Amino acid sequence: MAKKTVPSEFIIERDDEKCITCQVCCRMCSNDVHTYDPELDEVNSDSTKCVGCHFCEMLCPTGAITVKRNPSEFKINANWTARVINDITKQAETGGVLLTGMGCDRPYPIYWDHILLNASQVTNPSIDPLREPMELRTYLGRKPDRIELESSDDGPGIKTQLGTQLKLETPILFSAMSYGSISLNACISLARAATEAGTLYNTGEGGLHRDLYKYGQNTIVQVASGRFGVHKEYLEAGAAIEIKIGQGAKPGIGGHLPGEKVSEEISQTRMIPEGTDALSPAPHHDIYSIEDLRQLIFALKEATRYRKPVGVKIAAVHNVAPIASGIVRAGADFVAIDGIRGGTGAAPTVIRDNVGIPIELAIAAVDSRLREEGIRNQASIIAGGGFRNSSDVIKAIALGADAVYIATAALVAMGCHVCQKCYTGKCNWGIATQDPYLTKRLNPEIGTRRLVNLLRAWSLEIKEMLGGMGINAIESLRGNREQLRGVGLTDTDLKLLGIKPAGEAW
């Protein structure tokens, strides 16, 4: 069968009465969906090439274009769904691994939508955040078992020596997205926004572009298995170091940046030849045990003279709790956990959709395990993987996280429409691409403003929810699961989350 048999996912509808054949859609679509026919003086659209990014729809000056899902359906079969049939057809035609971008989109339970927050009424009055101070400032890093105070002529002070802490004005950080997987303009937007909002962003495993070193105090530099772009100045530049063991979208496998994305500047940043594939092996070839991990943690601390916190990022997997316990005992100052809905620039679809567990269950499991072992204070927990709004954030903190990572939400704030074709390098929004013609579409000043607005909006909403619970500091909510109740969850779900069912009092 020579003809391509996978139906188009989207249908382009064009209103001929509105279309003025300005050809904006022809010039702007990186997927060559729209073409102009000079003989007929009309624009035609090939729906089979459409990825559903809606860029042409947004730019059309007359609103003549509408992008819709293809209504064509296969015969209904609970086992042999249209998605299954199309995937088999694609692999029969190509003989390759199916790739995708972003996080898992399968209809697994989203536990955030089944968790409800508490609110104060009579005995514990609520707090008005407009009239009373609310504290969102968060400190990440190892805390001592106890604090000793001392008195002096200047007044009381802390005698206990505290480790280096990362100060966040809001408990939200920008998660790891490497230069290469996203454009430099996107990286600049994230760095500037983190600096302006008083939080941090993560370089990902692609090194640090020379133009971003000035934002170092708001940067977490990542050390991954490929060691791309890792050198002394890189380690010194960041406020903290994160060792990447795994990520939620592809636990247990490595990374791959295609050679066509490795431009001259990316090759310099990653310290690899221009045009060559950047392959990150699945394991770190110097880490095969907790003891090996401990050696790397302290090697990085030694290299930076113990002035920077060193953390470890892992994917949320079935035994995430004992793994996190080992990481804390190995000397990590924070543990970043990435759930199954965590995003990526490219991953095998079968891995993204079938490996790992939801971040909600992972937070509860890790927080409980560390508390049971009496080591919860020795490391902070950063949770990531599909955080969509401020209520997800505050529920994660109540479950036990110290702060959360956001990535997909940040990209959406910059214009992303989650078409999941990041791996093609043809992002029309100028985000997940290295094409100079496309990267210009993302203005770093506008991107920065939109990201700062997002963090400000979420922070204001968090204050409102805290005030409603009668709590004036985010640290008082951390791990306070009595403020949560489950609705529509099984007894097993409630047990794993460590929360009571809705309707049950304290």
Side-chain angles (χ1 to χ4, degrees), residues 3 17-18 43 95 177 183 195 214 231 233 243 253 262 277 306 320 324 378 395-396 415 448 463 495:
K3 183 179 179 181
E17 293 185 359
K18 290 184 178 180
V43 177
M177 290 180 279
S183 66
T195 302
K214 56 187 175 184
H231 49 82
E233 290 73 20
I243 301 169
I253 67 172
V262 182
D277 288 10
Y306 291 86
V320 64
Q378 294 182 19
K395 291 171 187 177
T448 299
K463 288 182 178 181
K495 179 182 177 182

Side-chain angles (χ1 to χ4, degrees), residues 110 112-113 386-393 395 406 409 454 458:
I110 300 174
W112 302 132
D113 296 337
F387 285 91
R388 309 160 298 173
N389 48 51
S390 58
S391 68
D392 289 354
V393 174
K395 291 171 187 177
I406 64 169
L454 178 69
W458 284 16

